[in-house]
């Protein structure tokens, strides 16, 4: 189980900070104070000037727990960790142009909040938040980093930002999908970053997506993450609703709006992150907000929806019960978490609170359980206004059946916190592995539309010509073919007879288009790479010998086009490639008839290539 790394700040008076290096990881470090007169105020922001006034306001409001979620704890010092996701907006002062188009659409804010209760202070206490802002959802990094930076700030103040920024300046650029060792003070953080295929394209940094992420096959290496938030505690936060995980997976798969309500920000964040992690390796296009407040500008739009209007596809995590009344037309509401005294404490798995007692026995049925479920459904989610309960309110009839064999393998560790925390890791791996297999098998029928065409020398096809396009996709034809083939052995025993409707809903939902188009783009890039390499490996004489004059002319035109493209690259590899193609172009030119050569040389640009 991950613990807070030990850390000793370096004693140098001048810590070197490289702004360009830290920009690869974060947007800013912020210190935010709750002022009794003015509300939330940003005291420190490093580097300065990186946020618009509108963004500063959004971040300040999102960096504190709702007061209604804090009534249960009156200890002298209360630390909690959570994170939020907010849209970037606004313009910088004295600038009329909006933010650059290549910047990420969202900011992730990872928060270490400290509340200090002191009856001698005005209103009985004070609170501050240390916030790490990033365009990337690297929760596996920023959580342990905050466990260092948060307490360090409250020990030594502003210098903590310099120490952390100085350490970050020595880090290499992010390597998604890989284990990285990142020095921080006298410690080293070992973190697995999420893979490229789970990250958004619209970022400052472009990562090359590997072909291995293209094919919807079950990954063989389970030690590396296959999606976002692979460190989330699925078992801990959904312990009372384990039978409903398949329903929630299905709702998120087809892009249905879901409202998750929990007693504290750490719990609602953990629930949202856990659901997103269940979708791996699918790229999730649905908007998600791990901790959403009424101050978020998007709330005004949601609150203005009429009863007959469709709620947009979004996954919201909230703690304020006001949302139950203001967002009445959300079709699916999930209540999770435990309003116990430790439910918001800092920690990795412990951040969701220790849910005491054993989880529901799947083989046990009692009339009282049935009556309780009926009463919950009848009372509706507004019953949470009087008492918090773990429940789901949804009229959706799921197609995917719960896999009780997976649930029966989960370990109930009893009441020992240490043993329970360790067993939670085991249970999370079991659940994450199952849903990874479930999602991968569900996506597998789309595999043929991502299959690349590789040039084959034996077939006589020329790698110098453009590769054929990928197979065209038609939704109706796909469903018809799939209906004949069936969903496959893994899914057939886990889905009801109307299983084809799930594919139909998925293709109409918000996740399909973004995922499918991205897969196609990666497949096309991989195909171009394979054909480019084949051109470099090919012996042009093998194609000239058995080609007709028309085919030789086609090859000449294709080689010329590829040569011009390669010459635009300034790298050493680009120079080696265009020199090889230039030799191939001359070889093809030499076997052409004299009249054809004379005609081609009339173009000055082409003549220069043949010198």
């Amino acid at each position: 189980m991950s613990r807070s790394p030990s850390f000793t700040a370096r004693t140098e008076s001048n810590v070197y900070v490289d702004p360009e290096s830290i920009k690869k990881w974060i947007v800013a470090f912020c210190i935010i104070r709750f002022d009794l007169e003015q509300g939330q105020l940003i005291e420190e922001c490093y580097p300065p000037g990186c946020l618009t006034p509108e963004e500063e306001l959004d971040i300040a409001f999102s960096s504190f727990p709702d007061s209604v979620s804090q009534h249960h704890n009156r200890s002298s010092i209360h630390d909690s960790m959570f994170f939020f996701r907010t849209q970037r907006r606004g313009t910088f002062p004295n600038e009329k142009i909006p933010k650059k188009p290549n910047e990420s659409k969202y900011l992730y804010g990872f928060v270490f909040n400290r509340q200090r209760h002191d009856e001698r202070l005005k209103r009985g206490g004070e609170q501050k938040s240390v916030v790490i802002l990033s365009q990337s959802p690297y929760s596996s990094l920023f959580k342990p980093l905050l466990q260092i930076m948060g307490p360090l700030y409250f020990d030594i103040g502003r210098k903590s930002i310099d120490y952390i920024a100085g350490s970050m300046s020595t880090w290499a650029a992010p390597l998604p999908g890989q284990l990285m060792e990142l020095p921080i003070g006298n410690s080293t953080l070992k973190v697995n970053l999420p893979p490229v295929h789970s990250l958004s394209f619209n970022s400052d940094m472009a990562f090359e997506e590997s072909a291995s992420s293209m094919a919807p096959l079950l990954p063989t290496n389970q030690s590396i993450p296959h999606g976002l938030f692979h460190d989330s505690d699925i078992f801990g936060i959904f312990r009372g609703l384990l039978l409903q995980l398949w329903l929630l997976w299905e709702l998120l798969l087809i892009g249905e709006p879901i409202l998750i309500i929990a007693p504290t920000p750490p719990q609602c964040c953990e629930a949202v992150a856990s659901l997103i992690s269940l979708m791996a390796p699918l790229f999730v296009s649905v908007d998600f907000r791990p901790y959403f407040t009424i101050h978020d500008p998007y709330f005004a739009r949601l609150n203005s929806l009429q009863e007959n209007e469709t709620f947009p596809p979004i996954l919201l995590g909230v703690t304020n019960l006001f949302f139950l009344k203001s967002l009445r037309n959300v079709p699916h509401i999930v209540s999770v978490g435990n309003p116990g005294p430790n439910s918001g404490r800092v920690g990795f798995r412990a951040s969701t609170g220790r849910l005491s007692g054993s989880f529901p026995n799947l083989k046990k049925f009692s009339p009282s359980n049935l009556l309780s479920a009926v009463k919950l459904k009848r009372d509706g989610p507004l019953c949470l206004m009087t008492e918090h309960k773990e429940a789901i309110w949804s009229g959706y009839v799921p197609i995917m059946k719960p896999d009780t064999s997976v649930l029966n393998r989960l370990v109930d560790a009893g009441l020992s916190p240490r043993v329970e925390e360790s067993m939670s890791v085991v249970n999370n791996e079991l659940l994450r592995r199952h849903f990874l297999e479930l999602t991968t098998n569900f996506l597998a029928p789309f595999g043929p539309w991502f299959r690349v065409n590789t040039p084959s020398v034996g077939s006589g096809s020329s790698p110098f010509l453009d590769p054929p396009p990928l197979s065209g996709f038609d939704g109706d034809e796909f469903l018809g073919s799939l209906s004949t083939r069936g969903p496959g052995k893994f899914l057939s025993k886990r889905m009801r007879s109307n299983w084809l409707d799930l594919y139909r809903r998925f293709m109409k939902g918000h996740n399909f288009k973004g995922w499918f188009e991205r897969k196609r783009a990666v497949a096309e890039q991989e195909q171009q790479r394979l054909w480019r390499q084949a051109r470099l490996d090919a012996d042009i004489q093998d194609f000239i010998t058995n080609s007709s004059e028309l085919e030789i002319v086609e090859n000449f035109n294709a080689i010329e086009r590829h040569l011009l493209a390669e010459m635009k690259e300034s790298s050493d590899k680009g120079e080696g490639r265009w020199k090889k193609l230039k030799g191939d172009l001359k070889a093809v030119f030499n076997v052409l008839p004299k009249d054809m050569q004379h005609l081609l040389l009339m173009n000055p640009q082409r003549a220069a290539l043949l010198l």
Side-chain angles (χ1 to χ4, degrees):
M1 184 57 55
S2 300
R3 299 291 184 185
S4 300
S6 60
F7 176 82
T8 302
R10 294 179 294 183
T11 57
E12 304 98 283
S13 57
N14 295 318
V15 179
Y16 173 73
V17 177
D18 179 11
E20 292 302 316
S21 293
I22 66 173
K23 270 174 56 178
K24 297 174 183 177
W25 291 94
I26 67 160
V27 172
F29 297 116
C30 293
I31 307 299
I32 306 175
R33 173 172 58 90
F34 186 84
D35 185 270
L36 297 181
E37 305 296 331
Q38 304 179 60
Q40 294 87 339
L41 293 176
I42 296 182
E43 284 189 339
E44 298 276 356
C45 183
Y46 179 84
C50 58
L51 301 173
T52 67
E54 295 89 344
E55 289 170 345
E56 289 183 353
L57 191 65
D58 296 344
I59 290 160
F61 275 119
S62 299
S63 298
F64 291 93
D66 279 323
S67 59
V68 293
S69 68
Q70 297 301 303
H71 65 276
H72 61 270
N73 193 299
R74 298 297 296 175
S75 61
S76 59
I77 293 181
H78 179 80
D79 294 340
S80 64
M81 277 172 46
F82 55 92
F83 74 103
F84 60 85
R85 183 178 189 249
T86 185
Q87 277 191 302
R88 305 211 68 170
R89 66 189 185 105
T91 56
F92 290 102
N94 304 320
E95 288 187 11
K96 296 181 180 180
I97 58 173
K99 303 185 81 61
K100 293 184 294 184
N102 66 326
E103 286 188 341
S104 177
K105 186 179 179 181
Y106 293 95
L107 271 181
Y108 295 86
F110 294 84
V111 181
F112 182 100
N113 172 259
R114 172 164 290 185
Q115 295 180 333
R116 186 167 68 91
H117 299 281
D118 189 337
E119 299 301 332
R120 295 170 298 178
L121 297 175
K122 198 173 181 180
R123 290 185 62 175
E126 63 177 4
Q127 59 174 320
K128 272 190 178 183
S129 290
V130 179
V131 184
I132 300 175
L133 296 173
S134 177
Q135 296 183 22
S136 303
Y138 296 154
S139 60
S140 58
L141 166 64
F142 295 128
K143 279 185 180 181
L145 187 60
L146 264 182
Q147 287 184 311
I148 295 172
M149 186 176 181
L152 186 65
Y153 171 79
F154 290 104
D155 285 342
I156 65 173
R158 173 64 174 79
K159 287 184 179 180
S160 62
I161 297 178
D162 297 330
Y163 290 137
I164 300 298
S167 293
M168 191 175 286
S169 297
T170 67
W171 296 358
L175 297 174
Q178 296 188 30
L179 174 66
M180 297 193 70
E181 296 189 2
L182 307 172
I184 187 82
N186 66 332
S187 304
T188 299
L189 295 177
K190 295 183 179 182
V191 296
N192 276 303
L193 298 183
V196 179
H197 66 258
S198 65
L199 302 174
S200 298
F201 268 153
N202 54 346
S203 174
D204 271 347
M205 291 170 290
F207 301 110
E208 185 175 346
E209 195 162 350
S210 66
S212 60
S213 68
M214 228 172 31
L217 301 174
L218 189 65
T220 55
N221 188 350
Q222 297 303 312
S223 64
I224 61 173
H226 301 285
L228 296 181
F229 311 123
H230 55 277
D231 56 331
S232 61
D233 187 6
I234 305 170
F235 175 76
I237 195 63
F238 286 110
R239 188 171 186 172
L241 299 171
L242 291 173
L243 270 171
Q244 307 299 330
L245 283 179
W246 286 262
L247 166 64
L248 295 174
W249 173 87
E250 191 170 327
L251 291 174
L252 189 53
L253 177 77
I254 63 178
E256 283 286 305
I258 303 173
L259 176 67
I260 294 180
I261 190 159
T264 65
Q267 290 177 331
C268 68
C269 289
E270 201 73 21
V272 170
S274 294
L275 285 188
I276 296 293
S277 75
L278 291 183
M279 306 311 298
L282 176 70
F283 174 74
V284 178
S285 298
V286 168
D287 187 8
F288 61 92
R289 307 298 180 91
Y291 176 54
F292 190 74
T293 72
I294 59 173
H295 303 289
D296 192 294
Y298 193 51
F299 171 69
R301 182 195 165 193
L302 296 179
N303 194 38
S304 65
L305 293 173
Q306 302 300 314
E307 288 189 10
N308 59 343
E309 289 186 86
T310 302
F311 207 84
I314 192 170
L315 177 60
L316 292 177
V318 304
T319 60
N320 194 336
L321 296 172
F322 172 73
F323 284 103
L324 295 175
K325 295 182 177 180
S326 60
L327 303 181
R328 285 177 178 265
N329 54 346
V330 179
H332 316 287
I333 297 177
V334 185
S335 172
V336 298
N338 172 34
N342 294 320
S343 58
R345 290 292 184 186
V346 168
F348 282 88
R349 314 292 175 176
S351 62
T352 62
R354 187 174 61 82
L355 306 182
S356 60
S358 57
F359 49 89
N361 189 330
L362 304 175
K363 299 179 181 178
K364 185 180 293 185
F365 169 82
S366 68
S368 62
N369 289 343
L370 178 61
L371 288 173
S372 297
V374 171
K375 186 176 185 302
L376 267 177
K377 186 174 182 180
R378 183 192 64 207
D379 294 344
L382 286 178
C383 70
L384 298 173
M385 303 290 287
T386 56
E387 181 186 4
H388 185 82
K389 302 174 182 178
E390 292 183 300
I392 293 180
W393 290 270
S394 172
Y396 182 84
V397 179
I399 294 173
M400 194 68 63
K401 295 180 288 188
D403 194 324
T404 54
S405 65
V406 174
L407 295 176
N408 288 331
R409 290 166 57 197
L410 299 179
V411 181
D412 183 9
L415 301 179
S416 169
R418 179 173 296 181
V419 176
E420 182 173 347
E421 198 173 353
S422 299
M423 290 303 98
S424 188
V425 177
V426 176
N427 291 336
N428 284 328
E429 290 304 315
L430 284 171
L431 290 169
R432 193 165 278 114
R433 166 71 186 184
H434 168 75
F435 281 98
L436 175 66
E437 194 172 4
L438 183 66
T439 308
T440 303
N441 277 276
F442 179 82
L443 300 176
F446 296 98
W449 284 269
F450 312 133
R451 192 171 295 140
V452 300
N453 300 290
T454 56
S456 175
V457 177
S459 65
S461 59
S462 172
F464 298 99
L465 302 179
D466 291 327
L470 301 180
S471 301
F473 182 80
D474 182 275
D476 292 334
E477 289 182 6
F478 169 79
L479 291 172
S481 173
L482 186 61
S483 176
T484 303
R485 299 195 315 269
K489 184 178 179 180
F490 182 87
L491 292 178
S492 59
K493 59 183 179 181
R494 292 173 170 84
M495 302 173 81
R496 294 183 169 86
S497 57
N498 59 336
W499 59 269
L500 201 61
D501 287 341
L502 186 55
Y503 280 95
R504 190 175 288 111
R505 294 168 190 170
F506 173 60
M507 289 192 295
K508 290 181 179 179
H510 197 69
N511 283 320
F512 175 73
K513 183 179 180 181
W515 169 78
F516 187 84
E517 290 181 352
R518 181 165 181 167
K519 288 288 189 182
R520 293 276 287 189
V522 174
E524 288 169 354
Q525 289 176 3
E526 174 65 6
Q527 182 165 274
Q528 291 292 344
R529 186 192 68 80
L530 290 173
W531 283 67
R532 184 188 208 180
Q533 187 59 45
R535 287 192 290 272
L536 298 178
D537 297 337
D539 185 346
I540 190 62
Q541 296 298 332
D542 293 338
F543 296 96
I544 294 175
T545 304
N546 300 314
S547 298
S548 64
E549 183 176 324
L550 179 60
E551 290 172 335
I552 292 175
V553 173
E554 288 179 348
N555 275 283
F556 181 90
N557 292 330
I559 294 172
E560 181 186 24
R561 188 170 61 254
H562 296 312
L563 174 58
L564 291 173
E566 295 288 358
M567 291 178 71
K568 292 180 181 179
E569 285 199 18
S570 58
S571 64
D572 293 337
K573 286 185 177 180
E575 183 178 356
R577 287 192 289 259
W578 70 254
K579 284 184 176 179
K580 196 272 181 185
L581 288 176
K582 191 170 185 179
D584 292 340
L585 187 70
K586 290 180 178 179
V588 175
F589 177 81
N590 290 332
V591 299
L592 288 172
K594 294 296 182 182
D595 57 337
M596 180 67 70
Q597 291 180 357
H598 180 71
L599 185 63
L600 292 173
L601 289 174
M602 292 178 66
N603 184 315
Q605 184 182 25
R606 182 179 294 124
L609 293 176
L610 294 168
L611 292 178

